[in-house]
Amino acid sequence: MRTFDKSTKLDNVLYDVRGPVVDEAARMEDEGKEILKLNIGNPYPFGFSAPQEVILDMLSNIRTSQGYSDSKGIFSARKAIMQYAQLRNIPNVSMNDIYTGNGVSELINLCMQALLDNGDEILIPAPDYPLWTATATLAGGNVVHYICDEQSDWYPDIDDIRSKITDKTKAIVIINPNNPTGAVYPKEILEQIAQIAREKELIIFSDEIYDRLVMDEYEHTSIASLAPDVFCVTFSGLSKSHMIAGFRIGWMILSGAKDKAKGYIEGIKMLSSMRLCSNVPAQSIVQTALGGYQSVTEYIKPGGRVYEQRECIYNALRDIPGISVVKPHAAFYIFPKIDTEKFNITDDEQFALDFLHEKQVLLVPGKGFNWMQPDHFRVVYLPNVRQLERASEKLREFLSSYRQHK
């Protein structure tokens, strides 16, 4: 009998944010169990809603958004993004340098497909948002992970980056603010990365989707603003800052030494045209969303939901014996460390499954973010304080007697 298997191109691709532990949670839900999901950054199910002005704008534009747009996006959206780039001090950006996408995810995939030949190397952080590693691998690239150092607030290890560059390295990816750690990189670190890219003639891909969700008076700097002589691709969007993940609207901005990347930009144009265009109704709200008052600021200051939920989960996790944690300063993720010797943990996925089965709480193990040791997991702190307190207490109870069986 003929059977059909998945492509071998997917052999080394993983996306455990929606992986085996999540599949098991879905099976348990089918049995009638209630699962507290701390696995995915999806604001709406936790009571976050888009600004009313944004919803009304989409409704008013829906009738005129029925056709395809230009493959890069509609004029008003790209103009607003161009002005946003100017405010971020990203140099040398015109309307032609801006591409809208069905979320940043689509654009990341497009960029990897346009750039990588079989055997090309690309530097990606560990831990990372796993889509980066997955799409680069699927495009035929060899992903080389550089370490972000937990002892230094999860900042990239500059020496480790330098040690991993070869003649095959084409690009370096940074995720700033970072998912899964919540780190915000200081200007000095970004300048050092820009200098490496300058010396080694690398492309910089900077994933900045959380750039408007920065707390504690930290300042976010776009690395492209520090590297006018390096070809940079900067990604952002509205999914997280405006709590509209389902609308699927993101963008990328090409800046810097575009003359060195003419062939690559042709590839980007080609793939962008092949998918015709991104979601036109969602493009229609970009101008409104980026202009005027930004309601997300209410969430991220003391008293705001995101801020107070971050405080709650950080303090609760810190108080659990066997758990240590670096305080995140952006986004809505925290990446705690677990004492593997204390709990005899050799498999972090098994730990997440055991916790799910016993306490009906869904976490993503560190391996889902290409972290090589079985000693971390990610918590999404979008649920309200009461739910986070309950989840933390369940983890405390679980760990009080847990020892992983080999």
Side-chain angles (χ1 to χ4, degrees):
M1 182 179 72
R2 183 183 184 187
T3 60
F4 300 93
D5 202 357
K6 68 180 181 182
S7 165
T8 55
K9 289 183 289 188
L10 292 167
D11 285 350
N12 297 309
V13 172
L14 70 91
Y15 190 74
D16 281 0
V17 175
R18 294 181 185 265
V21 185
V22 180
D23 292 342
E24 178 61 10
R27 186 193 66 75
M28 291 168 67
E29 281 187 317
D30 288 343
E31 292 178 348
K33 293 187 170 117
E34 186 176 339
I35 307 295
L36 177 55
K37 295 176 182 174
L38 305 179
N39 69 305
I40 194 163
N42 187 18
Y44 182 73
F46 297 106
F48 290 92
S49 189
Q52 186 69 8
E53 187 183 14
V54 166
I55 300 292
L56 292 173
D57 255 39
M58 181 178 276
L59 289 172
S60 68
N61 281 285
I62 201 84
R63 195 174 294 278
T64 56
S65 299
Q66 297 175 68
Y68 295 130
S69 74
D70 181 284
S71 62
K72 292 182 180 180
I74 64 175
F75 177 87
S76 66
R78 286 192 292 146
K79 186 73 169 180
I81 295 162
M82 186 185 82
Q83 291 168 336
Y84 183 73
Q86 290 169 350
L87 293 174
R88 309 295 294 173
N89 297 313
I90 299 176
N92 188 26
V93 175
S94 72
M95 294 275 288
N96 285 330
D97 301 317
I98 291 160
Y99 295 73
T100 62
N102 296 303
V104 166
S105 299
E106 181 190 42
L107 296 171
I108 290 171
N109 187 35
L110 187 152
C111 281
M112 296 299 99
Q113 294 289 344
L115 179 68
L116 296 171
D117 288 317
N118 290 343
D120 285 343
E121 293 178 359
I122 181 168
L123 287 165
I124 293 178
D128 72 345
Y129 178 59
L131 184 81
W132 278 102
T133 294
T135 55
T137 302
L138 197 55
N142 289 336
V143 173
V144 178
H145 287 109
Y146 66 86
I147 298 300
C148 294
D149 184 2
E150 189 169 15
Q151 303 305 311
S152 300
D153 289 329
W154 286 115
Y155 297 157
D157 184 325
I158 299 298
D159 290 337
D160 193 53
I161 290 172
R162 283 193 178 277
S163 73
K164 288 176 175 171
I165 295 172
T166 73
D167 291 342
K168 294 182 178 179
T169 310
K170 273 193 169 176
I172 182 167
V173 173
I174 69 165
I175 304 170
N176 175 41
N178 188 266
N179 173 12
T181 67
V184 183
Y185 300 160
K187 192 174 178 182
E188 302 77 50
I189 292 284
L190 297 173
E191 285 172 335
Q192 290 178 72
I193 294 172
Q195 182 58 27
I196 291 171
R198 189 174 288 120
E199 289 172 14
K200 302 296 184 179
E201 296 188 295
L202 306 179
I203 295 174
I204 296 174
F205 293 107
S206 187
D207 183 344
E208 301 181 2
I209 188 70
Y210 298 99
D211 64 351
R212 293 179 297 285
L213 283 159
V214 176
M215 294 174 275
D216 308 321
E217 298 185 0
Y218 273 59
E219 281 191 26
H220 177 265
T221 301
S222 287
I223 192 169
S225 69
L226 307 174
D229 56 332
V230 176
F231 182 63
C232 297
V233 185
T234 304
F235 301 84
S236 193
L238 302 180
S239 291
K240 312 299 184 176
S241 63
H242 288 71
M243 312 298 173
I244 50 174
F247 286 18
R248 310 312 299 132
I249 178 63
W251 58 79
M252 62 182 179
I253 302 165
L254 313 186
S255 68
K258 289 170 277 189
D259 57 314
K260 296 180 181 177
K262 286 178 182 174
Y264 176 49
I265 293 170
E266 281 303 313
I268 288 174
K269 285 180 184 173
M270 186 183 299
L271 291 177
S272 179
S273 297
M274 282 169 61
R275 53 93 214 233
L276 297 173
C277 69
S278 68
N279 177 342
V280 180
Q283 290 182 52
S284 72
I285 64 174
V286 172
Q287 186 174 35
T288 293
L290 289 181
Y293 174 69
Q294 297 293 306
S295 61
V296 71
T297 56
E298 300 300 322
Y299 291 128
I300 58 177
K301 64 186 182 183
R305 261 197 73 177
V306 174
Y307 181 95
E308 295 303 330
Q309 288 161 198
R310 188 275 308 264
E311 293 293 289
C312 169
I313 195 67
Y314 170 68
N315 290 319
L317 288 168
R318 199 172 51 158
D319 287 344
I320 298 174
I323 298 287
S324 59
V325 62
V326 175
K327 191 172 192 176
H329 297 289
F332 25 71
Y333 310 108
I334 193 166
F335 200 56
K337 184 175 185 177
I338 189 163
D339 186 334
T340 52
E341 287 190 23
K342 180 180 176 70
F343 304 111
N344 196 40
I345 293 172
T346 57
D347 184 337
D348 53 350
E349 185 176 293
Q350 189 59 51
F351 158 73
L353 282 166
D354 292 342
F355 183 46
L356 174 66
H357 287 146
E358 188 169 322
K359 295 295 186 180
Q360 287 80 59
V361 178
L362 176 58
L363 305 169
V364 182
K367 67 172 280 193
F369 305 95
N370 291 293
W371 188 249
M372 304 308 173
Q373 304 299 320
D375 59 355
H376 282 79
F377 57 92
R378 189 187 75 170
V379 177
V380 175
Y381 55 83
L382 283 168
N384 62 44
V385 165
R386 184 181 57 81
Q387 290 174 303
L388 291 172
E389 288 173 342
R390 194 169 93 242
S392 302
E393 192 52 41
K394 285 186 172 188
L395 182 60
R396 177 190 291 274
E397 291 169 3
F398 174 74
L399 290 176
S400 67
S401 60
Y402 181 69
R403 298 297 178 274
Q404 190 171 95
H405 301 296
K406 293 186 180 179

